[in-house]
Coordinates of all heavy atoms in Angstrom, one line a residue:
Chain E
R77 N 131.1 66.0 118.2 CA 130.8 67.2 119.0 C 130.9 66.9 120.5 O 130.8 67.8 121.3 CB 129.3 67.6 118.7 CG 129.3 68.4 117.4 CD 127.9 68.5 116.9 NE 127.9 69.4 115.7 CZ 128.4 69.1 114.5 NH1 128.9 67.9 114.4 NH2 128.3 69.9 113.5
E106 N 136.0 77.0 127.7 CA 136.3 78.0 126.7 C 137.8 78.0 126.4 O 138.2 78.0 125.2 CB 135.9 79.4 127.2 CG 134.4 79.6 126.8 CD 133.8 80.8 127.7 OE1 134.6 81.5 128.3 OE2 132.6 80.9 127.7
R109 N 138.8 74.9 124.4 CA 138.4 75.0 123.0 C 139.3 76.0 122.3 O 139.6 75.9 121.1 CB 136.9 75.5 122.9 CG 135.9 74.5 123.2 CD 134.6 75.1 123.3 NE 133.5 74.2 123.6 CZ 132.3 74.6 124.0 NH1 132.0 75.9 124.2 NH2 131.3 73.7 124.3
R110 N 139.7 77.0 123.0 CA 140.6 78.0 122.3 C 141.9 77.5 121.9 O 142.5 77.8 120.9 CB 140.7 79.3 123.2 CG 139.5 80.1 123.3 CD 139.7 81.2 124.2 NE 138.4 81.9 124.4 CZ 138.2 83.0 125.1 NH1 139.2 83.5 125.7 NH2 137.0 83.6 125.1
F117 N 134.0 72.5 109.7 CA 132.6 72.1 109.6 C 132.3 71.7 108.2 O 132.8 72.2 107.2 CB 131.7 73.2 110.1 CG 131.8 73.4 111.6 CD1 132.8 74.3 112.1 CD2 131.0 72.8 112.5 CE1 132.9 74.5 113.4 CE2 131.1 73.0 113.8 CZ 132.1 73.8 114.3
H119 N 129.6 72.4 106.4 CA 129.2 73.5 105.6 C 130.0 74.8 105.9 O 129.5 75.9 105.8 CB 127.7 73.8 105.7 CG 126.9 72.6 105.3 ND1 126.8 72.2 104.0 CD2 126.2 71.6 106.0 CE1 126.1 71.0 103.9 NE2 125.7 70.7 105.2
P124 N 129.5 85.0 107.7 CA 129.3 85.6 106.4 C 129.5 87.1 106.4 O 129.7 87.7 105.4 CB 127.8 85.2 106.1 CG 127.2 84.9 107.4 CD 128.3 84.4 108.3
H125 N 129.5 87.7 107.6 CA 129.6 89.1 107.7 C 131.0 89.6 107.9 O 131.3 90.8 108.1 CB 128.7 89.7 108.8 CG 129.0 89.2 110.2 ND1 128.9 87.9 110.5 CD2 129.5 89.8 111.2 CE1 129.3 87.7 111.7 NE2 129.6 88.9 112.2
Y134 N 139.6 84.4 113.4 CA 138.5 84.4 114.4 C 138.8 83.8 115.7 O 138.6 84.4 116.8 CB 137.2 83.7 113.8 CG 136.0 83.8 114.8 CD1 135.4 85.0 115.0 CD2 135.7 82.7 115.5 CE1 134.3 85.0 115.8 CE2 134.6 82.7 116.4 CZ 133.9 83.9 116.5 OH 132.9 84.0 117.4
V138 N 138.8 85.7 119.3 CA 138.1 85.2 120.5 C 139.0 85.2 121.7 O 138.6 85.5 122.8 CB 137.5 83.8 120.2 CG1 137.1 83.1 121.5 CG2 136.3 83.9 119.3
R165 N 138.0 89.5 100.7 CA 136.7 89.0 100.2 C 135.8 88.5 101.3 O 136.3 88.3 102.4 CB 136.9 87.7 99.3 CG 137.8 88.0 98.1 CD 137.1 88.8 97.0 NE 138.0 89.0 95.9 CZ 138.1 88.2 94.8 NH1 137.4 87.1 94.8 NH2 138.9 88.5 93.9
A168 N 130.8 84.6 101.0 CA 129.9 84.3 100.0 C 130.4 84.5 98.6 O 129.9 84.1 97.6 CB 128.6 85.2 100.2
Q169 N 131.6 85.2 98.5 CA 132.2 85.5 97.2 C 133.1 84.4 96.8 O 133.7 84.4 95.7 CB 132.9 86.8 97.2 CG 132.0 88.0 97.5 CD 132.8 89.3 97.7 OE1 133.7 89.3 98.5 NE2 132.4 90.3 97.0
Chain O
E209 N 125.5 75.9 112.3 CA 126.9 75.5 112.2 C 127.8 76.7 112.5 O 128.9 76.6 113.1 CB 127.1 75.0 110.8 CG 127.9 73.7 110.8 CD 128.3 73.2 109.4 OE1 128.7 74.0 108.6 OE2 128.2 72.0 109.2
E212 N 127.9 77.0 116.1 CA 128.8 75.9 116.6 C 130.2 76.3 116.4 O 131.1 76.0 117.3 CB 128.4 74.6 115.9 CG 127.4 73.8 116.6 CD 127.3 72.4 115.9 OE1 127.6 72.3 114.8 OE2 126.8 71.5 116.6
A213 N 130.5 76.8 115.2 CA 131.9 77.2 114.9 C 132.4 78.2 115.9 O 133.5 78.0 116.5 CB 132.0 77.7 113.5
S214 N 131.6 79.2 116.2 CA 132.1 80.2 117.2 C 132.2 79.6 118.6 O 133.2 79.9 119.3 CB 131.1 81.4 117.1 OG 130.5 81.5 118.4
M215 N 131.4 78.6 118.9 CA 131.5 77.9 120.2 C 132.8 77.1 120.2 O 133.5 77.0 121.2 CB 130.3 77.0 120.5 CG 129.2 77.7 121.1 SD 127.7 76.6 121.1 CE 128.0 75.8 122.7
G218 N 135.8 78.6 121.2 CA 135.9 79.1 122.6 C 135.3 80.4 122.8 O 135.6 81.1 123.8
T220 N 132.8 83.2 124.1 CA 131.9 83.3 125.3 C 130.5 83.6 124.8 O 130.3 83.9 123.6 CB 132.4 84.4 126.2 OG1 132.3 85.6 125.5 CG2 133.8 84.2 126.7
Q223 N 130.4 86.9 123.3 CA 131.1 87.0 122.0 C 130.2 86.3 120.9 O 130.1 86.8 119.8 CB 132.4 86.2 122.0 CG 133.5 87.0 122.7 CD 134.8 86.2 122.9 OE1 134.7 85.0 123.1 NE2 135.9 86.9 122.8
G227 N 129.0 88.8 118.3 CA 129.9 88.6 117.1 C 129.2 87.8 116.1 O 129.6 87.8 114.9
L232 N 124.2 88.3 112.3 CA 123.5 87.4 111.3 C 122.0 87.6 111.4 O 121.3 87.4 110.4 CB 123.9 85.9 111.5 CG 125.4 85.6 111.3 CD1 125.6 84.1 111.2 CD2 125.9 86.3 110.1
G310 N 126.4 87.4 98.6 CA 127.4 86.8 97.7 C 127.2 86.9 96.3 O 127.2 86.0 95.5
G314 N 133.9 85.3 92.7 CA 135.1 85.2 92.1 C 136.2 86.2 92.5 O 136.0 87.0 93.4

Side-chain angles (χ1 to χ4, degrees):
Chain E
R77 280 165 175 72
E106 275 161 16
R109 288 168 177 166
R110 286 177 186 183
F117 292 85
H119 301 288
H125 61 296
Y134 182 73
V138 164
R165 300 284 179 91
Q169 298 171 310
Chain O
E209 228 186 43
E212 269 188 333
S214 117
M215 275 171 91
T220 59
Q223 285 172 326
L232 295 195

